[in-house]
Amino acid sequence: MTHDQRTIVFLCHRPLKSQIRFYEQFVDLGYRVDVVVDDPNWDVTSSSDLRIVNLLDQRCHDAGFHHFNPAVRKGLYCSAWDKALFHLTHSASPFRHCWLIEDDVFLADPGALLKLDRAYPDADLLVGSARTVHHPSEAASGEDGWPWFHCVPVRQLPLPWAHGMVCAARISQRLIAAVAAFVDQHSATLERRNAARRRAAAMAARLRLPQSWVNRIGRERFPFIEFIFHTLALHHGYPVAVADELSGILWRRDWCLEEMRPDHLYHPVKAIADHPWIREQLLLQHPER
């Protein structure tokens, strides 16, 4: 395989057979497809076309890959994102760009990714949204009053910052390498300081300080996926492209079939078992695709 190999990593908790069958369609388009399974006890349907990646939380945590998605509350805070990034930096075959797509992202037509790859051949980060913050006041108010900025490790990741949804995003190998370098340089320090913050917060709670103070004292810092890729791309001068086809990647939305297009991606569509039916109906409505 060459560095130009088109690659997709699907991030799943417990993938269904219908998901595996759909993922296999991307192989026919020339993609190498890896499926990261977050539950190590899940019996995954084997496939000769896909690579199933099943990593233990402890292995990824020991390598510094944890807290990339702290919204997934597990003992070691190792989500499918942490495992995917560990896999891409330790055991994946070479690639130029890699799509990372969560399992509750809906996509009707596998060819949509191929069209995006051809339309944006050079972007190191291809996403549906990107916003930049140059001053701390911007992070706390206005359009960019975004709650996760308080988790930015400011000493290790100084301003300017950038953020956006990445439930479906294409990331270059050199940007993945920048993430791996950040982990290698700062993960141990962040873990020590976060442990100190937890101890301080516990002491504040025993002293019966106001809960708002306890929360502020114990506020941890970590390389959250929604700012780490955008910000490292900004700092390294790597090009970022925002595609309209990814504008449906949102934090929360109840999507209706009538507003969907087969060449766009949508998040969240939590009823994963219904994806095949939605896909069939959408493609019937848009035979011209």
Side-chain angles (χ1 to χ4, degrees):
M1 291 187 181
T2 69
H3 287 274
D4 291 328
Q5 171 69 44
R6 292 192 295 269
T7 302
I8 306 174
V9 175
F10 289 102
L11 288 72
C12 303
H13 180 55
R14 296 174 174 178
L16 306 175
K17 291 181 180 179
S18 60
Q19 288 176 268
I20 297 297
R21 288 194 295 270
F22 180 62
Y23 297 162
E24 288 173 336
Q25 295 182 35
F26 292 88
V27 177
D28 296 333
L29 296 177
Y31 286 95
R32 187 188 75 231
V33 180
D34 297 344
V35 181
V36 172
V37 179
D38 191 26
D39 186 346
N41 299 313
W42 189 244
D43 184 16
V44 181
T45 302
S46 61
S47 170
S48 59
D49 295 324
L50 311 180
R51 179 179 182 180
I52 304 299
V53 179
N54 201 323
L55 297 166
L56 294 176
D57 291 12
Q58 190 68 57
R59 182 183 179 191
C60 297
H61 187 278
D62 290 349
F65 289 83
H66 53 86
H67 282 88
F68 275 92
N69 187 11
V72 177
R73 297 186 176 278
K74 299 169 62 182
L76 293 175
Y77 281 90
C78 282
S79 68
W81 271 99
D82 300 280
K83 295 175 181 181
L85 293 171
F86 176 88
H87 166 63
L88 288 172
T89 56
H90 287 76
S91 56
S93 300
F95 59 91
R96 185 181 180 193
H97 297 100
C98 176
W99 284 96
L100 289 103
I101 303 177
E102 296 178 1
D103 55 4
D104 59 346
V105 168
F106 175 79
L107 171 61
D109 183 4
L113 294 191
L114 196 57
K115 292 177 182 176
L116 281 167
D117 283 337
R118 290 169 175 167
Y120 301 93
D122 300 319
D124 283 88
L125 182 61
L126 180 57
V127 288
S129 61
R131 300 184 181 93
T132 302
V133 166
H134 295 277
H135 191 274
S137 62
E138 298 176 59
S141 62
E143 181 183 357
D144 278 302
W146 183 65
W148 289 101
F149 274 131
H150 69 258
C151 300
V152 176
V154 179
R155 294 183 182 180
Q156 293 78 22
L157 204 65
L159 285 160
W161 302 323
H163 75 95
M165 294 292 292
V166 291
C167 305
R170 195 193 70 187
I171 306 174
S172 70
Q173 187 163 40
R174 68 174 182 173
L175 184 51
I176 293 290
V179 172
F182 183 90
V183 169
D184 185 59
Q185 295 171 23
H186 303 302
S187 179
T189 299
L190 289 176
E191 192 164 9
R192 286 195 303 271
R193 290 177 176 170
N194 285 335
R197 290 185 179 99
R198 290 192 293 271
R199 291 193 297 270
M203 176 64 72
R206 287 195 295 270
L207 294 174
R208 298 188 177 183
L209 296 180
Q211 188 60 45
S212 60
W213 291 19
V214 175
N215 294 341
R216 187 178 183 86
I217 292 170
R219 190 174 289 162
E220 298 184 31
R221 309 290 193 268
F222 34 71
F224 183 37
I225 53 173
E226 290 185 20
F227 62 71
I228 190 65
F229 302 120
H230 288 71
T231 301
L232 286 178
L234 179 64
H235 287 187
H236 285 78
Y238 295 163
V240 176
V242 176
D244 181 64
E245 292 87 344
L246 298 173
S247 62
I249 303 300
L250 305 175
W251 174 56
R252 182 177 294 172
R253 175 74 177 268
D254 292 325
W255 292 104
C256 299
L257 184 62
E258 293 73 22
E259 63 184 331
M260 289 180 165
R261 295 171 51 181
D263 59 345
H264 282 53
L265 285 76
Y266 298 94
H267 177 274
V269 182
K270 295 291 185 182
I272 296 173
D274 293 339
H275 282 203
W277 180 86
I278 301 171
R279 189 173 294 120
E280 179 182 4
Q281 297 302 309
L282 187 60
L283 295 178
L284 284 174
Q285 292 180 15
H286 297 270
E288 74 287 351
R289 75 185 190 282

